[in-house]
Amino acid sequence: DQQVKQNSPSLSVQEGRISILNCDYTNSMFDYFLWYKKYPAEGPTFLISISSIKDKNEDGRFTVFLNKSAKHLSLHIVPSQPGDSAVYFCAASDRSNTGKLIFGQGTTLQVKP
Amino acid sequence: DVKVTQSSRYLVKRTGEKVFLECVQDMDHENMFWYRQDPGLGLRLIYFSYDVKMKEKGDIPEGYSVSREKKERFSLILESASTNQTSMYLCASSPPGGQGQPQHFGDGTRLSIL
């Protein structure tokens, strides 16, 4: 059973506009959520995270919003740039100390010039 | 910067072969992980290790084993390779404890089993 879901396989936006990537989860024991970005032929790189005690975290053009009651998080990229074109994965960690993450299926973002 | 190095970027093997994928990290991280990435399925955890000689099964361990004899090195072994193990394999490491510590990934090994 998929505990972390990204229901949109792909998203296309115009350069300069906002990109919104969505992620849903089922396990209320998750305490941290992370977003990763992956270019082809490279490993995923960490973008931004949020603790379950917060509802928003911002880092430059990237903002993550967490809605615990809806078990939903979203990544906003403003303004979007062509270099943002990549696959984005959301991930969640539980309260164990193993460092284990559970990843969603990924969303491919294309930013058109 | 954390460096996670996977020994091969591309690998082609035959069905039935025993295949070794090697991963080395240089940040003295306790935790190491092996994933495979397939289209539409995201990253799925095969095995992980939280200490030398310690290992735990992930979500899809069948057909795989691992070895962690030294802290910096985590090996993934395909005991008898099959075509359904053709995939992108990613290794990652992270410091001890949970609390949302990000994992640091290598660049992956694209493995093809013919």
Side-chain angles (χ1 to χ4, degrees):
Chain A
D1 190 28
Q2 191 88 20
Q3 295 188 70
V4 178
K5 293 183 184 179
Q6 294 175 257
N7 291 316
S8 298
S10 63
L11 175 67
S12 182
V13 300
Q14 207 64 36
E15 181 179 6
R17 308 295 292 265
I18 185 171
S19 296
I20 300 177
L21 297 103
N22 294 303
C23 181
D24 297 296
Y25 62 96
T26 58
N27 189 341
S28 58
M29 297 301 288
F30 288 148
D31 63 345
Y32 275 87
F33 302 88
L34 301 86
W35 283 94
Y36 281 81
K37 173 180 177 178
K38 186 183 184 299
Y39 293 119
E42 292 183 15
T45 53
F46 169 70
L47 259 182
I48 191 169
S49 64
I50 188 167
S51 162
S52 60
I53 63 172
K54 296 187 174 181
D55 54 18
K56 177 182 174 181
N57 189 25
E58 197 170 351
D59 184 1
R61 295 186 299 114
F62 301 92
T63 303
V64 56
F65 294 92
L66 176 62
N67 182 334
K68 286 188 293 292
S69 60
K71 293 192 177 68
H72 177 84
L73 63 153
S74 59
L75 175 69
H76 293 213
I77 306 173
V78 183
S80 302
Q81 299 172 354
D84 296 329
S85 298
V87 179
Y88 289 79
F89 293 99
C90 69
S93 72
D94 60 24
R95 295 193 174 96
S96 70
N97 62 357
T98 63
K100 187 177 161 185
L101 296 177
I102 298 163
F103 285 83
Q105 306 96 310
T107 297
T108 301
L109 173 65
Q110 183 186 28
V111 181
K112 296 179 180 177
Chain B
D1 259 2
V2 177
K3 184 75 174 173
V4 179
T5 303
Q6 294 184 231
S7 53
S8 306
R9 295 298 300 272
Y10 301 93
L11 210 51
V12 180
K13 296 291 182 181
R14 297 220 171 264
T15 304
E17 280 192 70
K18 191 168 186 176
V19 181
F20 293 85
L21 302 183
E22 306 288 344
C23 175
V24 177
Q25 51 96 2
D26 66 358
M27 282 302 292
D28 205 35
H29 284 168
E30 274 74 6
N31 300 329
M32 295 190 75
F33 308 84
W34 274 107
Y35 296 89
R36 60 179 284 177
Q37 181 197 357
D38 300 288
L41 297 177
L43 274 66
R44 294 182 293 166
L45 182 63
I46 304 171
Y47 267 97
F48 66 102
S49 167
Y50 51 87
D51 201 352
V52 176
K53 297 193 186 292
M54 304 303 289
K55 60 186 178 185
E56 293 268 350
K57 292 180 180 179
D59 300 317
I60 50 165
E62 297 79 18
Y64 303 94
S65 63
V66 290
S67 171
R68 190 153 181 216
E69 296 296 319
K70 293 185 178 180
K71 191 174 186 181
E72 67 270 18
R73 186 180 296 270
F74 193 33
S75 303
L76 180 69
I77 303 151
L78 285 66
E79 297 290 343
S80 177
S82 64
T83 54
N84 63 10
Q85 292 177 309
T86 291
S87 187
M88 168 70 86
Y89 289 87
L90 292 158
C91 174
S93 72
S94 71
Q99 290 150 20
Q101 289 278 4
Q103 294 178 11
H104 302 267
F105 284 82
D107 283 337
T109 296
R110 174 73 65 185
L111 175 64
S112 296
I113 307 296
L114 304 179

